[in-house]
Amino acid sequence: MALPVWGAVGWVRLPLRRVPWSIGSRESRIVGPRLRCLRGDLSRGCGSVAGASEEEGLLQPAAVVPLLRRVGAACNLSVRAARLLVENRRVLVDGATCTDMRAMVAAGSSVRVFNKSREEVEAPPPRDFYLKFFKPRGVLTTHRQDDRSSAPIISALYPRGAEDVLHPVGRLDRESEGLLLLSSDGSFTLFATMPATHVPKEYMVVTDCIRDGVVAPPSEALLAQLREGVDIGDGSPAVAAAAEVVEFDGRFARIRLVVTEGRFHLVRRMMRAVGFSCLQLLRTSVGDMRGVVLRPDTLAEAAYEAWHPEVPAVAPATRGGCGSGSWGSGPGKELLLRPGEFAEVRPEEVQAIYDRGLEWLELHHPVGGWRGPQKK
């Protein structure tokens, strides 16, 4: 089996093999749009494609990565196994023993590991990327172009220099837009998407408020139903952590919804359950990661775009912050991405996702209760 990827020399086919999943199971796992999240040995890229990242204008790997990721990539270990090495004081950072599993290390730091054979191994910085991307409406979150559809696919929009290793962290359906995380780190993807970590995701929903000839935004009673849980037809109630009307123009309303799970078309089905449609579904945050512009300027324009969809342009993503209106107002002046733009995820945001996963791992797979695979 091979995966076609775009590299410096054109389309190439990257051989795939089944590899253990990052929690330690012996089966590989499909995440998001049926993509296999690969562990350290494949996520670092291949041949000339990896070397091309040195060229001017291409995206450079993350300058700071989780220590566990660096140890795991160097030793071909899961995060679960890498925790054991750190716990047993077998990891040195810049010559000093490090026992902090939450540590983030810079690319310039020296990391050495004493593996299970007691051999000292250098752990070079992995070629990893952690990106925030504003997915335009009309783009499919997949790497495979369907012959029956002319819709562009997400891999055609990846930034130059990381096309061969990126995968989406979760997914947004074709008609949804907004914040989509991209990464080459399978553990980051797992921790950000697994239901047990309860990573909150915020959506802004534009809906038509005409119902039975009456124009009115969703009532507080309907919003309370969303917060208490509604039946969306799959046997398990869907609960919103937050639901409120944030804007109403006399015809259309914008509703803020926060959910902590990721079922198929979850928000659309929740809105349908209380009798409202989704003219626009825009994701504005994943955990603490924000930074997309709330567009278009009016609710009527959002409705018009829904009724008159256009095929988005297909081009590699551009770095955000280069145009006018790309920065928010206020003391922080947060970078606001527009459709087709990307920005790096900050190290503290990567650490926050890892913290959620490590908390779950410690609860269900404590280091003291697991000593790795035993020799027969």
Side-chain angles (χ1 to χ4, degrees):
M1 180 178 180
L3 173 70
V5 298
W6 180 258
V9 296
W11 285 101
V12 298
R13 300 187 68 84
L14 174 66
L16 298 182
R17 61 183 178 87
R18 297 183 71 85
V19 295
W21 182 239
S22 54
I23 284 292
S25 69
R26 293 193 178 276
E27 294 296 323
S28 58
R29 178 171 176 172
I30 303 298
V31 172
R34 300 181 180 180
L35 296 176
R36 200 179 309 281
C37 288
L38 304 181
R39 223 165 48 174
D41 52 339
L42 290 183
S43 67
R44 286 173 295 196
C46 60
S48 61
V49 178
S53 65
E54 301 298 329
E55 297 178 10
E56 184 179 358
L58 301 187
L59 188 64
Q60 298 300 304
V64 180
V65 300
L67 174 64
L68 292 178
R69 170 63 176 175
R70 189 159 165 178
V71 171
C75 301
N76 195 25
L77 297 174
S78 66
V79 165
R80 184 177 171 185
R83 289 163 64 230
L84 187 61
L85 292 178
V86 175
E87 172 74 13
N88 288 343
R89 307 175 65 85
R90 291 162 66 176
V91 175
L92 304 179
V93 178
D94 292 329
T97 301
C98 181
T99 58
D100 183 7
M101 298 184 192
R102 300 176 62 252
M104 303 287 290
V105 292
S109 295
S110 169
V111 177
R112 304 191 70 81
V113 182
F114 291 92
N115 60 23
K116 62 182 181 181
S117 302
R118 298 292 178 177
E119 299 172 340
E120 188 174 2
V121 176
E122 178 70 30
R127 183 173 170 247
D128 274 332
F129 301 87
Y130 304 90
L131 304 178
K132 294 185 281 189
F133 175 64
F134 193 130
K135 181 188 104 56
R137 186 175 191 153
V139 175
L140 294 170
T141 311
T142 180
H143 282 190
R144 178 177 297 177
Q145 184 71 63
D146 193 333
D147 294 336
R148 298 167 295 179
S149 172
S150 60
I153 58 177
I154 191 68
S155 55
L157 278 66
Y158 285 163
R160 293 180 61 245
E163 307 96 324
D164 58 319
V165 293
L166 285 178
H167 62 255
V169 180
R171 71 184 301 273
L172 285 172
D173 65 59
R174 174 177 173 174
E175 299 308 319
S176 297
E177 57 187 300
L179 182 62
L180 179 66
L181 302 180
L182 306 174
S183 183
S184 57
D185 182 349
S187 296
F188 178 80
T189 299
L190 176 65
F191 295 155
T193 57
M194 63 189 296
T197 54
H198 303 291
V199 176
K201 292 170 279 290
E202 180 185 79
Y203 296 85
M204 292 294 182
V205 181
V206 174
T207 186
D208 192 343
C209 296
I210 295 181
R211 301 174 68 202
D212 301 324
V214 178
V215 181
S219 64
E220 181 55 39
L222 288 179
L223 296 174
Q225 286 184 34
L226 291 170
R227 293 190 292 266
E228 293 167 4
V230 293
D231 181 12
I232 59 174
D234 61 3
S236 178
V239 180
E244 59 178 331
V245 177
V246 296
E247 187 178 354
F248 177 58
D249 68 357
R251 168 69 188 274
F252 305 103
R254 176 172 280 129
I255 302 166
R256 172 179 172 266
L257 277 180
V258 179
V259 296
T260 58
E261 52 181 327
R263 282 184 266 172
F264 179 74
H265 287 182
L266 176 64
V267 173
R268 296 183 184 277
R269 293 158 69 194
M270 292 175 70
M271 292 297 296
R272 193 179 306 126
V274 295
F276 284 87
S277 62
C278 283
L279 296 178
Q280 183 195 42
L281 182 57
L282 191 153
R283 183 195 282 167
T284 53
S285 74
V286 177
D288 297 328
M289 290 165 280
R290 310 184 67 87
V292 296
V293 68
L294 197 59
R295 60 157 305 275
D297 293 334
T298 68
L299 301 184
E301 288 179 84
Y304 180 86
E305 289 184 3
W307 293 329
H308 303 84
E310 296 181 355
V311 178
V314 179
T318 57
R319 186 177 296 278
C322 299
S324 60
S326 297
W327 297 87
S329 59
K333 290 189 176 182
E334 183 179 29
L335 173 64
L336 298 178
L337 300 176
R338 296 183 177 279
E341 294 183 341
F342 75 92
E344 282 86 358
V345 176
R346 295 192 297 266
E348 58 268 26
E349 295 170 332
V350 175
Q351 184 183 49
I353 293 296
Y354 260 76
D355 285 350
R356 287 178 177 270
L358 292 176
E359 182 180 350
W360 180 87
L361 275 175
E362 187 57 34
L363 181 64
H364 297 277
H365 304 281
V367 173
W370 186 75
R371 285 292 179 258
Q374 302 298 314
K375 294 183 179 179
K376 294 182 179 180

